[in-house]
Structure formats: C-alpha cells, structure tokens
Amino acid sequence: MKQSALNQSKELWADVSVPIRNGMVHWPGNPEVKIVQTQDLERGDPATVSHLSLGTHTGTHVDAPAHFIARGAGIDRVPLERLIGPARVLDLGEIDRITPAHLDPADIRPGDRVLFKTGNSAHWDETQFRSDYTYLSFEAASHLVERGAWTVGIDYLSIGGMDRGAETHHVLLAAGVCIIEGLDLSRVEQGWYDLVCLPLRLEGIDGSPARVVLRGGDRRGRRTRRRSRSSGDRASFCRKEAGYGGCEHS
Ligand SMILES: Nc1ccccc1C(=O)C[C@H](N)C(=O)O
C-alpha cells in the first residue's frame, strides 16, 4: 500500500517555475513585474481582468538566440523537442560556479537536457537580487556544447555570471543549446525526469517566461532516454545553423 502510494507520487508533475507576482526579484535594469486589475468584479465590473507588464526574462524563462545574437532566432523558433522530453537534474550543492570538473562525472551525451540545482534554489523567497548566485562558467558552457547537450537549465536569473555572463550565453545560444533560467528546484531531487517547458509564442522575441514542470522517476527517465538517443543526429543538424535555422518544428 505504502509502496504504491510512492509510485503514484512519482507520476505527479512538480511545478519548478517561480510564481509571477508584483514585487518579485528581477534582473538589474530589466522591467519589474506590474500586474494591475483593470476590471474587477468587486467594483461591479462584469468580469475581473488584469493588465500585465513584465520583462521577457522574468522569473522562470527561456532565452532565445536573439537575446545575445544579433538577428538570432526568436523564442517562437526554439524547437519544442528541446524543451519537452527526458531531462536530468544534477544537484551540485553550494558552489560558486559550475566548472568542467563538476560536469565530468555527469557524462553529458548528445541530446541531453540538463538542469542544474544549486544553492540558488533556496533563495527564491528573497525579493532583493543576489549578485553572488551560482552560474555556469564559460568553460563549462563550452564543455556542454562540445558534448552536444540540447538544453541547459539553472536555478537563478542567469545561466552566466555577472562579469562573463554574455560569453556564457553566446557560446550556448550560438550552438543552438536552449537555456532555461529561473528554475526553482528546491523540491526536486537529483535524477531523471520528464520535462515540459513551454515559453509563450512571442514572435521574433528574445525570450519568454515559461511554465516548467517535471515528472519524476529514475527508471522512467533512463528508459525514455535510451529510446530518444537516435534523435541526437537531428540535434547536430539543428546546431549546424546557429539559432535553429536548419530546424523546422512547426
Ligand atoms: N549575465 C549577463 C551579462 C550581461 C547582460 C545580461 C546578462 C544576463 O544574464 C541577462 C539575463 N539575466 C538573462 O535572462 O539571460
């Protein structure tokens, strides 16, 4: 009885996106979230409707190539198969930055979707921006590109650091590696999951907030991963054209 309850809970989807609300933390210089009710049942309006204003890199979001590459692809052209499928959460704990040495034991393979859980995930209740967040070093980003990773996720507002962050973004986006930022992985353990990440279909735009959910289970992830390995060839095809030029998905 206990065992079946455990198995059942592995089938549930965990929401690893952060709530979007007024006053939430945002990247310095980016727009803050403003949500205002323009119609309100309480005031006698026929329905409640809100005006929403926010930056494209608010909370949990996906970066498009256009974020760091001039004339790069917009978020509407990021192939959905990068954002939906088996993914692994790697728990790296409290470290300053992710280096190639952290990635070596992970044995990254072509087509992998890797989400980094770090000490960052413990700080989502804070409203002040933290500049000392854990990030992916340029060298580690290059390692992921060399290994043919499809997707990389991180649990704070940037994949790169405050100083060389642009380089980290550039090496990933130019190779067609998809970047998910602002994940809250505090309630998720290291392991294999099914990932669903859906940014809005904003035409030609540099990024978009996304709802990101994970469904757990080691066995499930490994099984699906083996089956999907053959699509690695398609990954390298897509990567030939920076910004997914060679990849039709709709
Ligand atoms: N590291 C940087 C350095 C320079 C300019 C922007 C960044 C960003 O990380 C942008 C933003 N946080 C993003 O969503 O990608």
Side-chain angles (χ1 to χ4, degrees):
M1 190 64 196
K2 225 176 165 190
Q3 184 60 34
S4 77
L6 191 74
N7 287 342
Q8 254 172 23
S9 76
K10 285 199 164 190
E11 296 301 314
L12 295 179
W13 291 95
D15 195 337
V16 292
S17 11
V18 298
I20 294 177
R21 56 164 83 104
N22 284 318
M24 71 188 284
V25 64
H26 62 88
W27 186 260
N30 281 14
E32 61 186 71
V33 170
K34 283 185 202 146
I35 308 172
V36 180
Q37 283 182 1
T38 52
Q39 292 180 51
D40 188 350
L41 286 169
E42 303 272 334
R43 291 195 310 247
D45 293 324
T48 298
V49 175
S50 302
H51 179 95
L52 168 65
S53 153
L54 77 182
T56 45
H57 299 264
T58 295
T60 310
H61 68 278
V62 179
D63 286 357
H67 188 35
F68 275 96
I69 299 172
R71 294 183 302 278
I75 193 66
D76 53 322
R77 289 180 55 209
V78 173
L80 292 176
E81 52 269 32
R82 308 242 161 164
L83 300 171
I84 300 172
R88 56 205 289 214
V89 172
L90 288 181
D91 188 347
L92 300 177
E94 298 276 349
I95 54 171
D96 289 348
R97 64 184 203 285
I98 304 167
T99 66
H102 294 112
L103 302 183
D104 269 336
D107 186 24
I108 307 294
R109 308 271 180 95
D112 273 0
R113 304 175 186 87
V114 191
L115 310 178
F116 295 113
K117 174 176 178 176
T118 74
N120 294 339
S121 277
H123 298 296
W124 280 118
D125 52 351
E126 298 169 6
T127 50
Q128 281 297 106
F129 175 79
R130 300 177 72 90
S131 53
D132 61 346
Y133 59 89
T134 302
Y135 61 92
L136 186 71
S137 67
F138 172 77
E139 293 76 16
S142 305
H143 174 103
L144 289 171
V145 168
E146 281 159 25
R147 290 296 187 99
W150 262 12
T151 301
V152 56
I154 189 85
D155 52 358
Y156 205 59
L157 291 171
S158 182
I159 191 72
M162 295 295 286
D163 51 351
R164 289 180 69 198
E167 287 170 70
T168 298
H169 278 86
H170 198 278
V171 71
L172 294 168
L173 294 172
V177 181
C178 189
I179 303 173
I180 309 174
E181 296 171 336
L183 293 164
D184 178 2
L185 298 170
S186 57
R187 290 178 305 277
V188 173
E189 290 173 10
Q190 173 159 307
W192 282 91
Y193 295 87
D194 292 324
L195 163 74
V196 175
C197 168
L198 290 172
L200 299 179
R201 197 172 180 176
L202 302 174
E203 217 169 68
I205 300 302
D206 49 85
S208 168
R211 192 71 175 258
V212 185
V213 292
L214 296 175
R215 184 169 59 180
D218 257 352
R219 277 178 300 127
R220 169 187 292 276
R222 292 232 168 83
R223 200 180 59 225
T224 330
R225 185 185 187 223
R226 253 200 306 279
R227 223 192 300 129
S228 70
R229 186 85 38 85
S230 60
S231 54
D233 292 345
R234 197 154 30 112
S236 58
F237 169 69
C238 290
R239 269 197 308 278
K240 278 181 196 142
E241 305 276 336
Y244 321 115
C247 207
E248 281 303 318
H249 69 280
S250 58

